Amino acid sequence: MRKMNNVYQSMISFYAGDPKRIQHFVKVHSFAKLIGELEKLDECTQEILEVTAYVHDIGIKIAKIKHGHCTGKLQEEEGAVAANLLLTQLGYDQELIERVSYIVGHHHTYSNIDGMDYQILVEADFLVNMYENKTSEESVISAYQKIFKTESGKDICKTMFGSK
């Protein structure tokens, strides 16, 4: 629990002065945690999921600094490296760091999702992004049909956005 709070606090500090980004990862974490628990993930997978949810967008700031803009691809590339560095500094074991970095480095890639941690992170990010971006009903329906695989994620999506 303490290590998780260190990740949380580190990401708040990382995005100091940018409440929009902070609010985003907090909401993604909240949905990811809930879906993971409802789907009964094992303790290790749940920890990977929650750490990933906090750091999944770490690459945005770095991409903007280095490249002047941020595409999904740049976010994935810069984010995987930054997540690895942050989690190493916080004392996480290499196996967890590698998995988190992998998911961060692919979280805008929706084909070949391998593992419940990756799947749930994508679903949680979609739930938040669809709300924050005021996504059209048609696009929500499309995302529901194409992206959501877990029963818990589907239920939350249907409840949040209306019956699909």
Side-chain angles (χ1 to χ4, degrees):
M1 182 62 82
R2 182 179 164 107
K3 277 179 116 173
M4 190 72 65
N5 285 337
N6 289 340
V7 176
Y8 193 177
Q9 289 178 306
S10 294
M11 287 303 296
I12 290 171
S13 295
F14 182 78
Y15 274 118
D18 191 348
K20 180 182 175 184
R21 296 274 177 241
I22 294 167
Q23 292 287 320
H24 177 81
F25 74 71
V26 169
K27 291 184 281 188
V28 171
H29 175 267
S30 181
F31 283 119
K33 182 179 189 306
L34 176 62
I35 295 169
E37 289 173 353
L38 291 172
E39 294 294 321
K40 297 177 175 39
L41 296 184
D42 63 81
E43 192 175 312
C44 179
T45 306
Q46 183 75 27
E47 181 181 22
I48 290 167
L49 170 62
E50 290 190 43
V51 170
T52 305
Y54 280 135
V55 303
H56 77 283
D57 279 346
I58 196 170
I60 292 173
K61 180 177 178 178
I62 297 164
K64 285 183 176 182
I65 291 168
K66 286 175 74 174
H67 306 283
H69 66 280
C70 180
T71 63
K73 183 78 170 148
L74 286 175
Q75 182 183 338
E76 288 177 336
E77 290 171 7
E78 300 294 348
V81 174
N84 188 308
L85 180 62
L86 174 68
L87 298 176
T88 298
Q89 291 170 345
L90 293 175
Y92 276 92
D93 68 73
Q94 195 57 40
E95 188 174 332
L96 180 140
I97 292 169
E98 287 176 12
R99 181 63 180 165
V100 170
S101 297
Y102 174 80
I103 297 170
V104 169
H106 293 84
H107 80 279
H108 288 293
T109 305
Y110 310 124
S111 58
N112 301 318
I113 292 177
D114 64 339
M116 287 294 284
D117 45 8
Y118 186 173
Q119 178 63 42
I120 293 170
L121 183 276
V122 168
E123 291 180 13
D125 200 25
F126 259 83
L127 289 170
V128 175
N129 283 328
M130 289 188 300
Y131 171 74
E132 290 178 346
N133 298 333
K134 297 176 176 59
T135 301
S136 71
E137 182 178 0
E138 181 180 291
S139 293
V140 170
I141 291 168
S142 178
Y144 177 86
Q145 293 170 344
K146 293 176 183 173
I147 299 298
F148 288 80
K149 305 290 185 223
T150 69
E151 288 306 313
S152 303
K154 287 178 178 180
D155 288 344
I156 291 168
C157 187
K158 283 191 289 190
T159 302
M160 185 183 307
F161 295 102
S163 208
K164 304 295 174 229

